[in-house]
Amino acid sequence: MRRNWRRITAVPGVVWRIALVAGAVGCCLALPPRIGLHPALASALAVVVAGAAAALWPRGARWPRRPSLAPPRRGAGRWVRWSGVALLWAAIAWCVVSQVAPLTEPRSLVWSLRGLPLVLVAGVWVWPQLSQRWQRRALAAMVLPTGIALALVAWSSPPHPLDFQPYYVAVDGHGTLYVSDAGSPVIRVFAPDGTLRAKLRPGVASNQGIPGPGFMPPGPYNDPDGLGVPRATPGTGTVSATLRPYPFGADDFWFCGLAVGTHDRLYVPDWMRGRMLRFAPDGRLEARWPLPNGYHPSLGCVATAGNDVLLSDEHGTIVRLDATGRELARWTLPERSTGGISVAPDGTTLFALALTRVYRLNLASGATSSWVLPALSGPLGNPYQAILAASGNRLFITDLGQHRVDVYRTDGQSEGVWGGPGVWPGQFGQVGGLARDAAGLIYVADFDHRVVQRFTGSGEIDALYRSPDDDEFD
């Protein structure tokens, strides 16, 4: 009788373990865990197989003729089984928590909402595994997961609203990413691993002159934390309607583009004060020279070709300058430039985006040709905002109306689209600037979703760049 009773009481333990194995397999198949932004189904299944083998390990060091799945009361077998259980729960947690978060929600909020039911279900599962003595003391078994759940909910509320609005982007040869802000006069500087390294305030540097303040710690613009940020004197330039989507702060610096040249030098036109600014890799202002007389920039107004800088005028004029600001050449396109310029990786051809056409300019001969963009659709009068020439004779053009990036050959042949409207990685809210790095990765700014997305050459999402929650004006 006693032996039969032990067999009966062993059944629930077997059922719990089989159910846990089935749940872990189901989570792996339905929600494959992700490393970065890439699914890792094979790794997760390997973890589940190892956990299942340990959780269902038979009693005793050897396999008897009729192995029993009843949990042993003592010995190494008991710890083997519980290690398998822990491994299975870890696999389930890995599947659930590693899923990508919507771009419109703080990640802490999404992870907390996913982790909350996971903690509660794990607590319910542990309850019947306890002995009768511990079940009588099971108050702690429920208080612990409940306390963890409440802590997750409290942690999920971000202390400040998201205010990062990336627009123009540029990347140097070492993977450092420079991102301008559509709502404040700063450039955020991201390390290659995606962490926010510093902020660069070109308006302050332009007013102070060489060498400028260099990189400043991340933090609010009006310096409530004592960062020592000097206040700038507002400029007196005339504001172009195409370059003033939002009101700016007292620094009075409005971006028209960013570009990185040789030796990782960053070029930032200060068109309101009529200056070109060149920054060293450590953020120091190296040079400051006047822009051409009467210069009125287009969107995406600056590009580089070797040591030279090219500027795009909203009237369709392209000016080539050397590293000291001396004019080397000047060309005029048949129509106004509305969406910026980009130089091919070989440095021989410049592409300029107009309202309905893409112009191709040979920088050696000055010869131009063009091809027609698809007909405008939707309420926007100018949906094509930025252009990027990349390797493989490809062009990327942002379509603000369709919330996507159009991919073309340099001769105008379409190669499809990237993204589309949506809130998940790989989709876009409102697309801004484009950039490429030495490895051929493509960076796309999304100022509506407040993130910069990085893509491989084949169009797969590769990384996300976000800024911590700090407000430039509060």
Side-chain angles (χ1 to χ4, degrees):
M1 177 65 71
R2 186 175 182 180
R3 182 179 300 177
N4 293 335
W5 175 250
R6 288 183 176 178
R7 290 179 179 178
I8 294 173
T9 56
V11 172
V14 176
V15 173
W16 276 114
R17 283 166 173 76
I18 293 176
L20 182 59
V21 172
V25 173
C27 284
C28 292
L29 297 178
L31 301 171
R34 294 174 178 268
I35 299 176
L37 292 171
H38 302 285
L41 176 60
S43 300
L45 289 177
V47 173
V48 171
V49 169
L56 300 177
W57 190 259
R59 180 169 56 185
R62 298 180 180 179
W63 287 89
R65 179 175 298 180
R66 293 183 177 180
S68 171
L69 293 177
R73 295 182 177 181
R74 61 184 65 86
R78 180 181 180 182
W79 296 109
V80 168
R81 293 190 184 195
W82 277 106
S83 64
V85 168
L87 202 60
L88 291 173
W89 274 111
I92 294 175
W94 182 23
C95 293
V96 174
V97 180
S98 69
Q99 297 302 304
V100 294
L103 299 175
T104 53
E105 297 288 347
R107 287 173 292 179
S108 60
L109 175 63
V110 176
W111 289 339
S112 299
L113 293 178
R114 292 174 179 171
L116 178 63
L118 191 64
V119 170
L120 294 178
V121 172
V124 172
W125 188 87
V126 169
W127 184 291
Q129 310 300 321
L130 302 175
S131 64
Q132 291 183 357
R133 183 181 64 176
W134 278 103
Q135 283 182 352
R136 290 192 295 266
R137 304 174 182 179
L139 181 61
M142 293 302 297
V143 169
L144 182 60
T146 303
I148 295 175
L150 292 176
L152 286 173
V153 173
W155 171 69
S156 67
S157 300
H160 301 289
L162 292 172
D163 65 311
F164 181 41
Q165 298 181 60
Y167 199 84
Y168 294 112
V169 290
V171 61
D172 69 12
H174 294 88
T176 300
L177 180 66
Y178 300 92
V179 185
S180 72
D181 197 305
S184 59
V186 299
I187 298 173
R188 285 173 169 84
V189 184
F190 292 90
D193 61 0
T195 57
L196 182 60
R197 174 185 172 192
K199 284 186 176 180
L200 179 63
R201 292 179 168 85
V204 175
S206 182
N207 281 327
Q208 285 190 348
I210 299 172
F215 287 149
M216 299 180 184
Y221 169 64
N222 63 352
D223 198 27
D225 300 323
L227 301 180
V229 180
R231 298 307 297 247
T233 302
T236 58
T238 303
V239 180
S240 170
T242 60
L243 293 172
R244 192 181 184 185
Y246 305 102
F248 287 83
D251 196 14
D252 204 19
F253 192 93
W254 294 333
F255 296 96
C256 68
L258 304 175
V260 174
T262 54
H263 308 296
D264 293 337
R265 267 47 185 179
L266 175 68
Y267 292 88
V268 185
D270 183 0
W271 62 274
M272 292 190 62
R273 300 173 181 85
R275 302 165 180 169
M276 172 64 74
L277 310 176
R278 188 182 76 205
F279 294 92
D282 61 359
R284 292 179 298 103
L285 182 63
E286 278 189 334
R288 183 181 66 175
W289 31 264
L291 294 171
N293 291 330
Y295 175 68
H296 297 281
S298 68
L299 296 173
C301 62
V302 62
T304 58
N307 289 318
D308 297 340
V309 182
L310 295 113
L311 293 173
S312 172
D313 191 287
E314 65 180 3
H315 300 296
T317 301
I318 308 295
V319 183
R320 184 168 188 167
L321 309 168
D322 66 10
T324 64
R326 183 172 61 92
E327 184 173 319
L328 301 176
R330 179 183 292 258
W331 305 274
T332 301
L333 303 177
E335 61 180 301
R336 297 168 62 92
S337 177
T338 60
I341 55 176
S342 180
V343 177
D346 60 8
T348 62
T349 307
L350 178 139
F351 296 89
L353 183 59
L355 183 62
T356 60
R357 306 181 73 87
V358 172
Y359 286 89
R360 181 170 45 206
L361 171 66
N362 188 300
L363 295 176
S365 65
T368 61
S369 59
S370 66
W371 45 269
V372 180
L373 289 165
L376 302 179
S377 60
L380 295 179
N382 180 24
Y384 304 117
Q385 295 285 301
I387 187 170
L388 174 68
S391 58
N393 293 323
R394 291 193 301 171
L395 286 176
F396 298 87
I397 298 175
T398 60
D399 189 333
L400 195 63
Q402 301 295 326
H403 311 280
R404 70 189 190 192
V405 176
D406 298 328
V407 186
Y408 294 94
R409 302 286 296 178
T410 54
D411 59 2
Q413 180 181 353
S414 175
E415 287 197 344
V417 299
W418 288 4
V423 299
W424 296 98
Q427 299 175 322
F428 302 109
Q430 301 292 343
V431 283
L434 300 168
R436 69 172 187 271
D437 64 13
L441 301 174
I442 306 299
Y443 299 75
V444 184
D446 186 339
F447 58 89
D448 190 26
H449 289 159
R450 307 174 189 276
V451 68
V452 176
Q453 303 191 52
R454 190 177 72 187
F455 293 85
T456 64
S458 59
E460 296 180 359
I461 180 71
D462 179 70
L464 296 173
Y465 291 79
R466 298 177 183 266
S467 177
D469 303 338
D470 58 358
D471 198 303
E472 289 295 320
F473 300 111
D474 289 346

